[in-house]
Amino acid sequence: MVWGVGVSQKGSVLHWKILIGLLCGVLWGLIAPSVGLDAWTTHWISPIGDLFVRFLKLIAIPLVMTSLVLGMTSVDDRSQLAGMGFRTAGFYLLTTALAILVGLAVASWVQPGTALPADLREELSTRYEIQTGMDGAVDSNLENRSWMQFIADLVPENMMSALGANDQMLQVVLLALLFGLGLLQLPTATVRPVTDLFKAVQDVLTLFVSWIMQIAPYGVFALMAHVLVEISGDGEDRVWSVLAGLSWYAGTVVAAMGIHIFVVYWGLYRGIVQKSFRGMLQTIRPAILLGFSTSSSVATLPVTLDCVERGLGIAPRISRFVLPVGTTINMDGTSIYQAVSALFIAQALGMDLTLMQQGTILFTALLASIGSAGVPGAGVVMLVVVLESIQVPVEGIALILGLERILDMVRTALNVTGDAVVASLVSATENEQAETVISDV
Ligand code: ASP
């Protein structure tokens, strides 16, 4: 097994390289427009970031498939697998529900929507009108989709097409779970060729990861330069005035995320894992930084797996089950963003949300977190569903689109952190279970 060659083995070096790449990218992005290099950056630097993300995405689906199937088949005892499955789902649901509650509480307290000046509200709505499709054409597919249809859509019509789209990762997960269950039902000797093939594929993918990570600092540099040049394309003055107008909103999102990390995660981690939370965050820094710069938890998965296994010492049979599932269904950053955004939009439009409507946000944002793909921009698309469920005009999304790119980066970093925290929680409770079994014998 060659998992982790060069990722967390030289993790701290890699982390510094990525950080330097990120800072240089920010500097470049800030300076380039003022020296007339913005178009050059778009044509020649942005594609490097694109190349890096494409390489990561290239291996995402086979990695999820092989990790999940091997994760399941490597557990000898079926009841142990069921136990791990329940604990994983339980922790994911718990942390996401708490994330939404934190988001709702902070946004109700801060009331960021009331701080938005009327003229800016007007301007933002008109500016982003075209993107959201003011005439009610905002992703009509999503609006008209019932939850029952959502469940039906989980089952791919065709195995090959399910394996062909990164944004349909839930279908891939379902397929992998079914496949893993199928393999578990058959005699080990019969399925050995298949599991051996999966193992070999996974080893090759692992090697790919170590190659891809060699270019990570340059990729991150290019991604950051691109984002900043794109933002300043609107004119520097405009950027600052929009940022100032939306600062309460962005501040509320970030504050709620901070509370979630340093209260909820800290509490659960210290209580259950009983190790240094700070140390854990430091160990998974490469994954957090990569989540931040790629805005995709799916693309970050290879690195998250590596940090968790080699850095935190979590057994691959646990991480390879928990993380691919988490990347697909656990989005605490996205949930906080959706809860705060829904309240912000309602407040800005002068609507008071009842407790019942806030309960509906809890429920729909929880399902939206499961339904959002770990790709850039998925969270804002699912926000449509949340707003629809509480009868807040979907067009209100126009108000927050100016900050979407940057908030996507922040929420993805939190999504990745949440997956690693839950992997640690599951691992700690698994060990406890194993110890109980041993002491019972
Ligand atoms: N970009 C996020 C992720 O990949 C999903 C989102 O848009 O919120 O985790």
Side-chain angles (χ1 to χ4, degrees):
M1 186 73 226
V2 286
W3 184 253
V5 182
V7 179
S8 75
Q9 214 170 25
K10 301 171 196 151
S12 55
V13 178
L14 178 72
H15 155 250
W16 285 113
K17 283 188 178 170
I18 295 179
L19 202 60
I20 292 170
L22 194 141
L23 292 176
C24 291
V26 171
L27 274 181
W28 182 284
L30 290 175
I31 296 169
S34 47
V35 292
L37 280 178
D38 38 353
W40 192 84
T41 305
T42 308
H43 292 312
W44 294 100
I45 296 202
S46 305
I48 301 175
D50 195 26
L51 182 83
F52 172 59
V53 175
R54 275 169 187 254
F55 271 130
L56 284 169
K57 286 186 180 165
L58 180 72
I59 57 170
I61 288 181
L63 190 68
V64 168
M65 189 76 195
T66 52
S67 297
L68 265 176
V69 170
L70 290 175
M72 289 174 76
T73 49
S74 63
V75 180
D76 308 326
D77 177 355
R78 302 226 180 120
S79 63
Q80 194 191 345
L81 179 66
M84 184 161 80
F86 278 121
R87 268 191 292 279
T88 304
F91 279 129
Y92 278 146
L93 287 178
L94 174 74
T95 49
T96 306
L98 289 172
I100 301 166
L101 288 174
V102 168
L104 288 176
V106 177
S108 306
W109 185 59
V110 178
Q111 298 272 327
T114 48
L116 195 69
D119 56 334
L120 188 63
R121 202 181 308 161
E122 195 69 25
E123 190 197 326
L124 289 173
S125 308
T126 351
R127 261 173 114 215
Y128 292 106
E129 174 176 321
I130 302 159
Q131 283 186 41
T132 53
M134 224 30 169
D135 358 316
V138 190
D139 206 337
S140 50
N141 280 342
L142 266 181
E143 280 185 47
N144 299 330
R145 215 161 62 139
S146 70
W147 286 106
M148 201 53 222
Q149 188 58 47
F150 171 79
I151 292 169
D153 290 344
L154 280 184
V155 182
E157 285 183 351
N158 166 327
M159 274 204 196
M160 291 306 142
S161 67
L163 296 176
N166 280 338
D167 57 355
Q168 297 298 326
M169 206 52 96
L170 214 48
Q171 293 193 344
V172 180
V173 168
L174 188 83
L175 189 60
L177 291 176
L178 283 176
F179 208 79
L181 281 178
L183 290 177
L184 282 170
Q185 299 298 319
L186 296 170
T188 317
T190 316
V191 299
R192 169 124 331 118
V194 180
T195 46
D196 282 350
L197 175 71
F198 272 58
K199 267 196 197 105
V201 172
Q202 199 180 49
D203 284 352
V204 175
L205 295 175
T206 305
L207 203 57
F208 282 1
V209 176
S210 67
W211 293 343
I212 299 169
M213 290 320 288
Q214 305 293 325
I215 59 162
Y218 311 101
V220 168
F221 163 79
L223 289 167
M224 292 312 298
H226 170 75
V227 169
L228 283 154
V229 164
E230 201 181 51
I231 292 177
S232 54
D234 284 358
E236 223 166 281
D237 293 351
R238 241 2 261 153
V239 173
W240 289 120
S241 73
V242 171
L243 282 185
L246 291 176
S247 57
W248 274 105
Y249 158 68
T252 311
V253 174
V254 174
M257 289 181 176
I259 293 176
H260 191 60
I261 295 177
F262 294 107
V263 177
V264 175
Y265 288 164
W266 176 85
L268 286 170
Y269 195 84
R270 290 292 299 157
I272 296 175
V273 184
Q274 297 178 350
K275 287 188 185 155
S276 155
F277 181 64
R278 201 164 143 234
M280 190 278 298
L281 286 183
Q282 267 167 357
T283 309
I284 62 162
R285 265 186 314 198
I288 297 178
L289 285 175
L290 213 62
F292 181 78
S293 30
T294 59
S295 292
S296 169
S297 27
V298 167
T300 312
L301 177 65
V303 181
T304 320
L305 273 167
D306 187 79
C307 289
V308 161
E309 289 174 11
R310 295 179 67 94
L312 300 179
I314 291 174
R317 71 178 172 81
I318 296 176
S319 60
R320 282 170 205 195
F321 178 79
V322 178
L323 289 177
V325 173
T327 303
T328 316
I329 67 164
N330 183 54
M331 310 243 167
D332 293 358
T334 305
S335 305
I336 290 180
Y337 159 84
Q338 289 175 340
V340 175
S341 302
L343 254 64
F344 170 78
I345 293 170
Q347 289 161 3
L349 300 180
M351 299 169 73
D352 259 340
L353 293 186
T354 59
L355 214 55
M356 181 73 185
Q357 280 172 309
Q358 301 205 22
T360 311
I361 296 182
L362 175 65
F363 181 67
T364 42
L366 199 65
L367 292 178
S369 156
I370 299 175
S372 305
V375 296
V380 76
V381 176
M382 291 310 267
L383 181 59
V384 171
V385 180
V386 177
L387 292 178
E388 271 294 300
S389 70
I390 48 167
Q391 287 93 39
V392 168
V394 169
E395 294 74 20
I397 289 183
L399 299 174
I400 56 168
L401 278 186
L403 287 184
E404 161 58 15
R405 187 72 180 85
I406 198 85
L407 287 181
D408 194 3
M409 298 164 86
V410 184
R411 62 183 190 247
T412 309
L414 178 55
N415 290 345
V416 170
T417 311
D419 295 341
V421 168
V422 170
S424 309
L425 299 178
V426 173
S427 167
T429 48
E430 281 290 303
N431 293 342
E432 229 168 67
Q433 288 279 321
E435 277 162 24
T436 324
V437 172
I438 291 168
S439 63
D440 283 354
V441 174

Coordinates of all heavy atoms in Angstrom, one line a residue, residues 291 294-299 327 330-331 333-335 337-338 372-381 404 407-409 411-413 415-416, ligand 1:
G291 N -9.3 22.6 0.5 CA -10.8 22.9 0.4 C -11.1 24.3 0.2 O -11.9 24.7 -0.7
T294 N -9.9 25.2 -3.5 CA -10.5 24.6 -4.7 C -12.1 24.7 -4.6 O -12.7 24.5 -5.6 CB -10.3 23.1 -4.7 OG1 -10.7 22.5 -3.5 CG2 -8.8 22.7 -4.9
S295 N -12.6 25.1 -3.4 CA -14.1 25.2 -3.2 C -14.7 23.8 -3.6 O -15.9 23.8 -4.0 CB -14.7 26.2 -4.1 OG -14.3 27.5 -3.7
S296 N -14.0 22.7 -3.4 CA -14.6 21.5 -3.7 C -14.2 20.4 -2.7 O -13.0 20.0 -2.7 CB -14.3 21.0 -5.1 OG -14.7 19.7 -5.3
S297 N -15.1 19.9 -1.9 CA -14.7 18.9 -0.9 C -14.5 17.5 -1.7 O -13.7 16.7 -1.2 CB -15.7 18.7 0.2 OG -17.0 19.1 -0.1
V298 N -15.1 17.3 -2.8 CA -14.8 16.1 -3.6 C -13.4 16.1 -4.1 O -12.6 15.2 -3.9 CB -15.8 16.0 -4.8 CG1 -15.4 14.9 -5.7 CG2 -17.2 15.7 -4.3
A299 N -13.0 17.3 -4.6 CA -11.6 17.4 -5.2 C -10.6 17.2 -4.0 O -9.5 16.8 -4.2 CB -11.4 18.7 -5.9
T327 N -18.0 13.4 2.5 CA -17.8 14.4 1.4 C -19.1 14.6 0.6 O -19.3 15.7 0.0 CB -16.7 13.8 0.4 OG1 -15.6 13.5 1.2 CG2 -16.4 14.7 -0.7
N330 N -22.2 15.3 4.2 CA -22.0 16.1 5.3 C -21.4 17.5 5.0 O -20.3 17.6 4.5 CB -21.0 15.4 6.3 CG -20.8 16.2 7.6 OD1 -21.8 16.6 8.2 ND2 -19.6 16.5 7.9
M331 N -22.2 18.5 5.1 CA -21.8 19.9 4.7 C -22.2 20.9 5.7 O -23.2 21.6 5.6 CB -22.5 20.2 3.4 CG -22.4 19.2 2.3 SD -21.5 19.8 0.9 CE -21.2 18.3 0.0
G333 N -20.5 23.5 6.7 CA -20.3 24.9 6.3 C -21.4 25.4 5.4 O -22.0 26.5 5.5
T334 N -21.8 24.5 4.5 CA -22.9 24.8 3.6 C -24.2 25.0 4.3 O -25.0 26.0 4.0 CB -23.1 23.7 2.5 OG1 -21.8 23.4 1.9 CG2 -24.1 24.0 1.5
S335 N -24.5 24.2 5.4 CA -25.7 24.3 6.1 C -25.8 25.7 6.9 O -26.8 26.3 6.9 CB -25.8 23.2 7.2 OG -25.7 22.0 6.5
Y337 N -24.2 28.4 6.1 CA -24.3 29.4 5.0 C -25.8 29.5 4.6 O -26.4 30.6 4.5 CB -23.5 29.0 3.8 CG -23.8 29.6 2.5 CD1 -23.4 30.9 2.2 CD2 -24.6 29.0 1.6 CE1 -23.7 31.5 1.0 CE2 -24.9 29.5 0.4 CZ -24.5 30.8 0.1 OH -24.8 31.4 -1.1
Q338 N -26.5 28.3 4.4 CA -27.9 28.4 4.0 C -28.8 28.9 5.1 O -29.7 29.7 4.8 CB -28.3 27.0 3.6 CG -27.6 26.5 2.3 CD -27.9 25.1 1.9 OE1 -28.3 24.3 2.7 NE2 -27.7 24.8 0.7
S372 N -26.5 18.3 -1.5 CA -25.6 19.2 -2.3 C -24.3 18.4 -2.6 O -23.8 17.6 -1.8 CB -25.1 20.3 -1.4 OG -26.2 21.1 -0.9
A373 N -23.9 18.6 -3.9 CA -22.7 17.9 -4.3 C -21.5 18.6 -3.7 O -21.6 19.8 -3.5 CB -22.6 17.8 -5.8
G374 N -20.3 17.9 -3.5 CA -19.2 18.6 -3.0 C -18.4 19.3 -4.1 O -17.2 19.1 -4.3
V375 N -19.1 20.2 -4.9 CA -18.5 20.9 -6.0 C -18.7 22.4 -5.8 O -19.6 22.8 -5.1 CB -19.0 20.4 -7.3 CG1 -18.6 19.0 -7.6 CG2 -20.5 20.6 -7.4
P376 N -17.9 23.2 -6.4 CA -18.2 24.7 -6.2 C -19.6 25.1 -6.6 O -20.1 24.6 -7.6 CB -17.1 25.3 -7.2 CG -16.1 24.3 -7.4 CD -16.8 23.0 -7.3
G377 N -20.1 25.9 -5.8 CA -21.4 26.5 -6.0 C -22.6 25.7 -5.7 O -23.8 26.1 -5.9
A378 N -22.4 24.4 -5.3 CA -23.6 23.6 -5.0 C -24.5 24.1 -3.9 O -25.7 24.0 -4.0 CB -23.1 22.2 -4.7
G379 N -23.9 24.7 -2.9 CA -24.6 25.2 -1.8 C -25.6 26.3 -2.2 O -26.8 26.3 -1.7
V380 N -25.3 27.2 -3.1 CA -26.2 28.3 -3.5 C -27.3 27.7 -4.3 O -28.5 28.2 -4.2 CB -25.4 29.4 -4.2 CG1 -25.0 29.1 -5.6 CG2 -26.2 30.7 -4.1
V381 N -27.1 26.7 -5.1 CA -28.2 26.1 -5.9 C -29.2 25.5 -4.9 O -30.4 25.6 -5.1 CB -27.6 25.0 -6.8 CG1 -28.7 24.3 -7.6 CG2 -26.6 25.6 -7.8
E404 N -20.6 35.2 -3.1 CA -20.7 33.7 -3.2 C -19.4 33.0 -3.4 O -19.1 32.1 -2.7 CB -21.7 33.4 -4.4 CG -21.6 32.0 -5.0 CD -21.9 30.9 -3.9 OE1 -22.4 31.2 -2.9 OE2 -21.5 29.8 -4.2
L407 N -17.4 33.0 -0.1 CA -18.1 32.3 1.0 C -18.1 30.8 0.6 O -18.1 29.9 1.5 CB -19.5 32.7 1.2 CG -19.6 34.1 1.9 CD1 -21.0 34.5 2.2 CD2 -18.9 34.1 3.3
D408 N -18.0 30.4 -0.6 CA -18.0 29.0 -1.0 C -16.6 28.5 -0.6 O -16.5 27.3 -0.1 CB -18.1 28.9 -2.6 CG -18.3 27.5 -3.1 OD1 -18.5 26.6 -2.2 OD2 -18.4 27.3 -4.3
M409 N -15.6 29.3 -0.7 CA -14.3 28.8 -0.2 C -14.3 28.5 1.3 O -13.8 27.5 1.8 CB -13.2 29.8 -0.6 CG -13.1 30.1 -2.1 SD -12.2 31.6 -2.4 CE -10.5 31.0 -2.4
R411 N -16.9 28.0 3.3 CA -17.8 26.9 3.7 C -17.2 25.5 3.3 O -17.3 24.6 4.1 CB -19.2 27.1 3.3 CG -19.4 27.1 1.8 CD -20.9 27.3 1.5 NE -21.2 27.1 0.0 CZ -21.5 28.0 -0.8 NH1 -21.6 29.3 -0.4 NH2 -21.7 27.7 -2.1
T412 N -16.5 25.5 2.2 CA -15.9 24.2 1.8 C -14.8 23.8 2.8 O -14.7 22.6 3.2 CB -15.3 24.3 0.4 OG1 -16.3 24.8 -0.5 CG2 -14.8 22.9 -0.1
A413 N -14.0 24.8 3.3 CA -13.0 24.5 4.3 C -13.6 23.9 5.5 O -13.1 23.0 6.1 CB -12.2 25.8 4.6
N415 N -16.6 22.4 5.6 CA -17.1 21.0 5.2 C -16.1 20.0 5.4 O -16.3 18.9 5.9 CB -17.6 21.0 3.8 CG -18.9 21.9 3.6 OD1 -19.5 22.2 4.5 ND2 -19.2 22.2 2.3
V416 N -14.9 20.3 4.9 CA -13.8 19.3 5.0 C -13.4 19.1 6.4 O -13.2 17.9 6.9 CB -12.5 19.9 4.2 CG1 -11.3 19.0 4.4 CG2 -12.9 19.9 2.7
Ligands
ASP1 N1 -18.4 23.9 -2.5 C1 -18.9 23.1 -1.4 C2 -18.2 21.8 -1.2 O1 -17.6 21.4 -2.1 C3 -20.4 22.9 -1.5 C4 -21.1 24.2 -1.5 O2 -21.2 24.8 -2.5 O3 -21.5 24.6 -0.4 O4 -18.1 21.3 -0.1

